[in-house]
Amino acid sequence: MKREYVLYAVCLLWVSGISGQEIKVEGSFLDAFTEVALPQVKISIESLNYEGFSDENGLFDISISEVAAEEYILKIEKAGYLPKRIPVRTSIDKRSLGVLYLEPDISFENTQLATVFLTEAELNDEETVADNISGILQSSRDVFQNAAAFDFSQTFYRPRGLGSEYAKVLINGFEMSQDNNSRPIWSEWGGLNDVQRNQSFTTGLFPAENAFGSLAGTINFTMRASRYARGGRITASVSNRSYNGRFMVTYASGEVGNGWYYTVSGSRRFADEGLVEGTLYDAASFFAAVEKKLSEKSFLNLAFFYTPSERGKSAPLSEEIFELKGRYYNPYWGYQEGDIRNSRIKKITLPVVQLLHSWQLNASSELLSGIMLEAGEMSNSRIDYGGSTANLVDSQYYYSVPGTNPDPAYYQNLPSYFLRSATTTNYESAWRARQELEENGQLDWSALYEANLQAATHGQNAIYAMVSDVMSPQRISGMSNFSHQFSPHLKIDAGVNTRIFRNGHFGRIEDLLGGKSFLDVDIYAEDPAATGSSKQSDLQNFNRLVSEDQRYKYDYAVLGYHSSLFGKVEFSGPKWELFGAIQASGTAYRRNGNYQNGLHPETSLGKSELSDFKNFGLKAGSIYKISGRQNVEANFAWFGRAPGYESVFVNPRQTDLLVPDGQSEKILAGDFSYRFRSSDFNLRLTGYISEVRDATEISFYFTEGLSGLERENTAAFVQEILQNIHKRYYGMEFGTEYQLTPSLKLKSALGLGENSYANNPNLMLSSSAFAEILNYGEAYLKNYHLPGGPQTAAQLGFEYRDTDFWWFSSSLNYFDRSFIDSNPLNRTLNFQRDYDGLPLVGYDEDVARKLLKQEQFDSYFLWNATGGKSWRLKDKYLGLFASLNNILNTLYKTGGFEQSRNSNYRELKEDSDREFPLFASKYWYGPGTSFFINLNLRF
């Protein structure tokens, strides 16, 4: 094969040139191993605002007029292949590069790890733990972003401190974020790695493809049948992380006659138990796309993907539990007839259909339009132990006592509970609790069944039931994007995106655990008149008995829409590149309740008022080319972002109450970068600052120690509304790599961030236990650090790539400045007050300061290594990839939160003075040594 000399023979096209001449280059791309034509290879010219792609046959033809007479760099890029940079001199003659053979980048299999880390994060029983953006960075070749995607992501590190709600994920130009919280659900396309190799990624504030973009970056997966190289791929993987095994098959037809193309892909991932105890994993994925070439300039693509998954969750642990059971302990599971059964199961079934039309209007203009349908279900299971039986006595309703919390790690089941005070110390019970936790400590399924069977023999309803909180989204989206290249120096893009949705939310009985029926009431609701009304989930179905697969507790839907318009202009000159973008958007939500809740009979049934948000945005940026190797870059953005409806409705399960004076977030951000690029040395240094203003967060918890209730009972289940939050993120990113020899590359990366509250937001509490919203005023959070992984991350590493197609890399990674998620209520004046609103007796300012000091986790190092080998088997390609993470089995915390049970000084101090507080902070721990091995055959 003539790979090397064909490439380098055309590497320098030298003819004399003058201003106003043309770049005319043509050629084709083939896989260096299988010699299959490669479509969707990106060809761009540095310093010119031009990029194009090879067609479905791997052919490309560049013809750009009116360019300066100087050397340009032709960049050739395709995910999964080694990139090329070819110097080109302008010429009036068309020059053919012939066939260019692209070598597979076996290290690209490293992108599998980003998916593994994201998948593992979703197993934690807390949304914010999985809230990172590493998945959108997997296609980037930037040194720092690669480190963030693969080595830093296992610690849930957030680049620039930002969560996934500030990133955009597009598939074929359609935005995939969910409307309830603005975050993408990675599981919705999980397991489709083979067909997501055609990616376009823009970092931070840079101009995005097919979108205005976002604060944390934008990625667009192109999943069109004509954009895949002809051939197949079989992949088998083993791991000890979230899943133990994976099998994946993909085939793309290429053009099969009359302009038809098709691509299919399927995979299965599975584990009876992952690295964390009891975390089952069962996921299947299927993708099919068929595309028709209507003409030489028009294509119609129909794509379908469906990735049902079922996963067992894991729990955060207190220090007391960790010391007894270790980092992999999970109280959510137990044995049932010898099989592992997890009570907290997350299921996702969200099929997606997309119809996309691509129209090349002329050599300079393209119109991309489409429609997308989504409908399915996401559910999270748990055990409801509030089962009861209603008894009518003298026209009054009395309800039997519900069950006890079956969680083996519930605070009343721990040794510390029996040692909580000198007057209640019971050493024998504490010892027995310790023995039970150490020797067993798992959910007792047989006890739940036995309790229900005993109740049934006495004519009573089930006490325990396995239930699910279900969201059933239905969404239709439409988009149209237009692009026009006025000249090699000037390009415009414009687009419109809109979607309407109806998201149903309801509780559902999954398993009665041997019982016959479950009484649909809130057994904990106060009912002083004993009428039973306030306890009803639905007053229109009084004391309703529900069976398996029936809805209960709550049933409502949120209806809404989101529409946006954007325009973008890009200019490229010999010394400057400039861009500007503008966006206008509108979002609206309305709740429609199907139950008349007994605690909120006037505000639960029927449609709520409409809550709408109008926003506007601007982005601009520039690149100044100091020389052919050095650039300085600056970007600026100001835009509004509508909140997801979870931050709009205070307690939508029971009422349509809206957050008072709800508003959009206002985002102001900028960054400045210096880049140096040469054949053997690359460097990027970036400074950034971002401010998010007027954010709202809603939390749900049970707490004690509330003031202002005018009663001695200070406990309530509350909805906390933290409003007018200002967050500030600033810091720097540094990445560099040096090609020490043709085979050996050194690399380093550093991220230093300061992510904190920039003000004291306002805190209010709502609850069915009190009539009006309690406004506790400012929560003194200013300068408290935001949670979300380490704010300092550093890497030193190397990569060795042998000419015999094997490679090895290793890195040492350092992490520091991770902080616990602070409880805002304890930072209000409520912390200092008694139930009557007067100052607490014995309040000590110095002690309070120590109690409220934010916990910082210990720093740590992680050593990782990856490697691979590829073989050519005639016209086939066999690749092996392996990785080891946390080789030294380092113990570290990835996150944690302060419990909210104790909300005033007296109760928190009393609890903190114990050796093991009853309501201590809880933590998530990172996994120990883990591996991932991937074997694939391409044909």
Side-chain angles (χ1 to χ4, degrees):
M1 195 178 299
K2 302 178 180 179
R3 296 190 300 272
E4 286 79 8
Y5 75 78
V6 169
L7 178 61
Y8 290 106
V10 298
C11 195
L12 187 61
L13 301 178
W14 182 280
V15 295
S16 61
I18 59 173
S19 178
Q21 291 182 326
E22 294 180 306
I23 293 178
K24 289 188 174 183
V25 184
E26 67 178 11
S28 64
F29 298 107
L30 296 182
D31 185 289
F33 281 76
T34 64
E35 298 192 12
V36 169
L38 295 177
Q40 202 64 12
V41 178
K42 180 180 176 181
I43 308 105
S44 59
I45 299 175
E46 291 183 5
S47 78
L48 284 182
N49 191 14
Y50 173 85
E51 67 177 40
F53 295 88
S54 59
D55 65 15
E56 61 274 13
N57 298 312
L59 302 174
F60 71 95
D61 189 342
I62 295 175
S63 179
I64 304 178
S65 59
E66 299 181 4
V67 296
E70 57 182 88
E71 185 179 84
Y72 291 91
I73 302 297
L74 194 69
K75 291 177 61 179
I76 298 170
E77 301 171 286
K78 182 174 175 63
Y81 291 85
L82 295 174
K84 305 292 183 186
R85 297 175 77 246
I86 303 176
V88 178
R89 284 280 179 173
T90 58
S91 172
I92 59 175
D93 301 316
K94 176 174 285 190
R95 293 304 180 95
S96 174
L97 301 185
V99 177
L100 298 180
Y101 292 94
L102 300 188
E103 294 181 4
D105 182 3
I106 55 178
S107 65
F108 185 77
E109 297 305 319
N110 203 27
T111 60
Q112 307 285 333
L113 290 179
T115 305
V116 172
F117 295 142
L118 284 168
T119 299
E120 184 177 72
E122 291 178 334
L123 302 182
N124 291 298
D125 194 21
E126 180 74 18
E127 269 191 348
T128 55
V129 177
D131 180 21
N132 66 78
I133 64 171
S134 63
I136 74 167
L137 303 178
Q138 57 185 286
S139 65
S140 173
R141 292 189 176 274
D142 180 87
V143 178
F144 176 83
Q145 290 165 359
N146 263 272
F150 307 123
D151 290 296
F152 297 170
S153 61
Q154 60 190 297
T155 70
F156 305 134
Y157 172 77
R158 297 181 181 182
R160 304 192 182 185
L162 300 169
S164 60
E165 68 271 27
Y166 295 109
K168 283 193 181 296
V169 177
L170 311 177
I171 294 181
N172 289 330
F174 294 98
E175 185 174 342
M176 303 303 295
S177 297
Q178 293 299 305
D179 296 287
N180 59 319
N181 57 18
S182 304
R183 297 174 184 144
I185 302 175
W186 298 98
S187 300
E188 193 175 0
W189 51 88
L192 298 178
N193 308 70
D194 279 353
V195 292
Q196 292 192 316
R197 295 171 181 264
N198 296 325
Q199 307 170 0
S200 172
F201 170 70
T202 54
T203 180
L205 304 177
F206 273 86
E209 180 184 279
N210 297 329
F212 175 78
S214 192
L215 184 59
T218 304
I219 189 170
N220 182 38
F221 297 101
T222 300
M223 298 168 64
R224 294 173 50 185
S226 67
R227 302 301 176 92
Y228 299 109
R230 177 178 55 84
R233 182 183 180 100
I234 300 174
T235 303
S237 308
V238 293
S239 175
N240 68 338
R241 298 283 299 243
S242 52
Y243 57 78
N244 299 146
R246 180 184 68 167
F247 187 73
M248 184 160 49
V249 179
T250 301
Y251 181 76
S253 68
E255 189 171 4
V256 293
N258 296 322
W260 285 97
Y261 306 80
Y262 69 86
T263 299
V264 292
S265 182
S267 73
R268 174 79 191 284
R269 293 159 291 160
F270 52 88
D272 290 333
E273 185 177 43
L275 195 58
V276 178
E277 297 174 0
T279 52
L280 70 91
Y281 194 112
D282 187 6
S285 303
F286 177 74
F287 169 83
V290 60
E291 188 163 357
K292 170 65 175 174
K293 182 193 289 186
L294 304 177
S295 68
E296 289 299 320
K297 297 183 177 181
S298 179
F299 289 79
L300 187 65
N301 183 82
L302 178 65
F304 168 80
F305 53 94
Y306 179 48
T307 60
S309 63
E310 181 176 345
R311 309 165 185 202
K313 290 184 176 182
S314 62
L317 307 175
S318 67
E319 289 285 0
E320 179 182 9
I321 298 172
F322 170 78
E323 289 191 10
L324 293 174
K325 300 294 289 185
R327 75 168 94 177
Y328 298 130
Y329 172 63
N330 182 14
Y332 291 159
W333 71 277
Y335 286 105
Q336 182 177 344
E337 297 181 350
D339 295 326
I340 291 174
R341 184 179 183 184
N342 194 312
S343 63
R344 300 287 183 103
I345 300 293
K346 181 174 186 175
K347 293 183 180 180
I348 297 179
T349 55
L350 277 175
V352 177
V353 178
Q354 295 179 338
L355 183 64
L356 190 71
H357 180 248
S358 173
W359 185 13
Q360 193 74 38
L361 302 174
N362 53 50
S364 302
S365 303
E366 182 180 17
L367 182 65
L368 189 68
S369 303
I371 188 170
M372 178 176 72
L373 301 175
E374 296 173 89
E377 187 176 281
M378 294 179 286
S379 64
N380 292 276
S381 70
R382 56 185 172 86
I383 293 176
D384 188 335
Y385 52 91
S388 183
T389 299
N391 297 285
L392 183 62
V393 179
D394 296 331
S395 301
Q396 292 185 319
Y397 278 102
Y398 298 92
Y399 295 85
S400 60
V401 177
T404 58
N405 191 332
D407 184 353
Y410 184 55
Y411 80 99
Q412 293 184 8
N413 295 327
L414 300 181
S416 58
Y417 179 74
F418 302 98
L419 305 174
R420 62 189 183 276
S421 69
T423 57
T424 60
T425 297
N426 187 327
Y427 292 106
E428 180 181 353
S429 295
W431 181 83
R432 292 183 183 278
R434 181 188 180 96
Q435 290 295 108
E436 172 62 23
L437 194 62
E438 288 182 330
E439 296 176 4
N440 182 19
Q442 301 308 139
L443 192 63
D444 190 347
W445 287 102
S446 60
L448 305 185
Y449 276 88
E450 179 63 26
N452 281 351
L453 290 174
Q454 287 292 329
T457 60
H458 293 87
Q460 295 181 338
N461 302 314
I463 300 172
Y464 299 97
M466 183 90 156
V467 303
S468 285
D469 297 304
V470 183
M471 182 172 85
S472 115
Q474 299 174 356
R475 181 161 70 170
I476 180 170
S477 305
M479 68 88 182
S480 186
N481 294 314
F482 171 78
S483 64
H484 178 73
Q485 189 89 38
F486 283 100
S487 72
H489 304 286
L490 186 62
K491 179 185 178 183
I492 64 165
D493 294 276
V496 56
N497 296 270
T498 188
R499 63 180 181 269
I500 56 175
F501 65 89
R502 181 191 183 278
N503 287 359
H505 293 263
F506 51 88
R508 182 172 63 203
I509 302 290
E510 303 290 359
D511 189 344
L512 285 172
L513 305 178
K516 293 183 178 180
S517 58
F518 197 89
L519 183 63
D520 187 11
V521 298
D522 181 358
I523 191 62
Y524 302 104
E526 296 182 4
D527 184 29
T531 63
S533 296
S534 61
K535 294 182 178 293
Q536 300 303 310
S537 298
D538 184 8
L539 287 169
Q540 298 185 344
N541 291 277
F542 204 89
N543 285 339
R544 172 176 48 197
L545 295 177
V546 289
S547 302
E548 292 177 357
D549 296 323
Q550 289 188 324
R551 300 184 181 190
Y552 93 127
K553 285 295 185 186
Y554 63 95
D555 185 0
Y556 69 95
V558 175
L559 301 87
Y561 72 85
H562 174 81
S563 296
S564 65
L565 296 165
F566 80 93
K568 179 182 63 177
V569 59
E570 296 178 80
F571 170 81
S572 178
K575 281 291 187 180
W576 287 91
E577 290 185 23
L578 306 171
F579 87 91
I582 188 171
Q583 175 181 254
S585 65
T587 305
Y589 308 115
R590 188 192 300 275
R591 178 189 181 275
N592 186 24
N594 298 317
Y595 285 0
Q596 186 178 18
N597 185 270
L599 292 169
H600 305 275
E602 304 300 325
T603 59
S604 53
L605 185 65
K607 292 183 178 180
S608 70
E609 62 180 278
L610 188 70
S611 178
D612 62 335
F613 305 87
K614 302 293 189 297
N615 288 296
F616 182 77
L618 295 170
K619 288 173 64 176
S622 64
I623 299 176
Y624 176 69
K625 303 161 192 176
I626 302 172
S627 67
R629 295 183 175 184
Q630 300 181 78
N631 292 344
V632 290
E633 306 165 2
N635 299 285
F636 164 83
W638 173 85
F639 58 96
R641 192 181 77 95
Y645 62 76
E646 287 183 355
S647 298
V648 173
F649 296 99
V650 175
N651 183 17
R653 292 185 179 184
Q654 295 183 336
T655 175
D656 61 16
L657 179 66
L658 295 170
V659 170
D661 302 318
Q663 55 186 318
S664 295
E665 295 180 359
K666 285 81 174 177
I667 297 173
L668 182 66
D671 60 45
F672 184 85
S673 299
Y674 168 79
R675 293 181 191 266
F676 181 90
R677 286 178 298 225
S678 69
S679 59
D680 56 7
F681 181 71
N682 291 316
L683 177 147
R684 175 174 70 87
L685 177 63
T686 297
Y688 65 87
I689 184 169
S690 304
E691 286 210 2
V692 177
R693 293 176 171 268
D694 299 326
T696 300
E697 296 176 359
I698 298 179
S699 305
F700 301 80
Y701 54 84
F702 182 81
T703 190
E704 296 176 330
L706 297 177
S707 63
L709 299 183
E710 299 181 356
R711 66 186 191 199
E712 293 191 22
N713 180 7
T714 63
F717 182 81
V718 300
Q719 298 85 51
E720 176 191 276
I721 308 164
L722 195 63
Q723 202 172 24
N724 300 322
I725 307 169
H726 295 178
K727 305 175 186 180
R728 180 177 295 122
Y729 311 83
Y730 67 89
M732 59 85 70
E733 298 171 345
F734 172 80
T736 183
E737 59 183 8
Y738 177 60
Q739 196 75 44
L740 187 63
T741 71
S743 299
L744 183 62
K745 180 191 295 183
L746 305 180
K747 59 182 181 179
S748 65
L750 174 65
L752 298 176
E754 185 69 23
N755 314 318
S756 60
Y757 290 97
N759 75 328
N760 295 320
N762 192 73
L763 188 145
M764 296 178 286
L765 295 183
S766 174
S767 176
S768 57
F770 39 86
E772 302 293 333
I773 289 180
L774 294 178
N775 191 337
Y776 283 127
E778 290 184 328
Y780 295 95
L781 292 171
K782 187 174 183 178
N783 297 324
Y784 272 76
H785 295 277
L786 296 167
Q791 298 188 16
T792 296
Q795 179 186 89
L796 288 175
F798 72 90
E799 178 182 314
Y800 179 83
R801 190 180 296 270
D802 195 85
T803 54
D804 196 27
F805 300 106
W806 66 269
W807 71 281
F808 175 79
S809 71
S810 184
S811 66
L812 184 64
N813 304 275
Y814 171 76
F815 302 96
D816 195 10
R817 301 182 70 249
S818 297
F819 297 91
I820 201 165
D821 191 357
S822 299
N823 171 19
L825 180 57
N826 282 358
R827 275 78 184 176
T828 66
L829 291 178
N830 178 80
F831 188 70
Q832 308 173 22
R833 294 174 178 169
D834 212 333
Y835 72 93
D836 53 9
L838 297 176
L840 281 167
V841 176
Y843 180 82
D844 188 308
E845 187 73 33
D846 293 332
V847 175
R849 190 176 297 108
K850 293 178 182 178
L851 291 173
L852 298 180
K853 183 180 179 181
Q854 188 175 21
E855 180 183 354
Q856 179 176 337
F857 304 149
D858 293 337
S859 61
Y860 53 94
F861 287 90
L862 296 180
W863 178 27
N864 303 327
T866 60
K869 177 76 170 80
S870 61
W871 298 267
R872 181 177 181 181
L873 307 175
K874 294 184 179 180
D875 60 345
K876 300 176 179 62
Y877 170 92
L878 182 66
L880 175 67
F881 169 83
S883 73
L884 276 174
N885 290 84
N886 193 5
I887 295 172
L888 300 180
N889 201 33
T890 301
L891 178 67
Y892 62 97
K893 295 173 181 175
T894 60
F897 60 92
E898 298 174 352
Q899 292 200 69
S900 303
R901 184 66 172 260
N902 299 310
S903 61
N904 70 23
Y905 169 85
R906 180 170 53 212
E907 295 191 355
L908 183 60
K909 183 179 183 303
E910 180 183 355
D911 200 29
S912 299
D913 286 342
R914 300 184 176 107
E915 180 181 1
F916 287 109
L918 300 182
F919 305 105
S921 298
K922 291 191 173 184
Y923 308 96
W924 284 274
Y925 292 87
T929 303
S930 62
F931 69 87
F932 179 82
I933 302 173
N934 192 75
L935 181 68
N936 67 85
L937 175 68
R938 289 173 42 208
F939 56 91

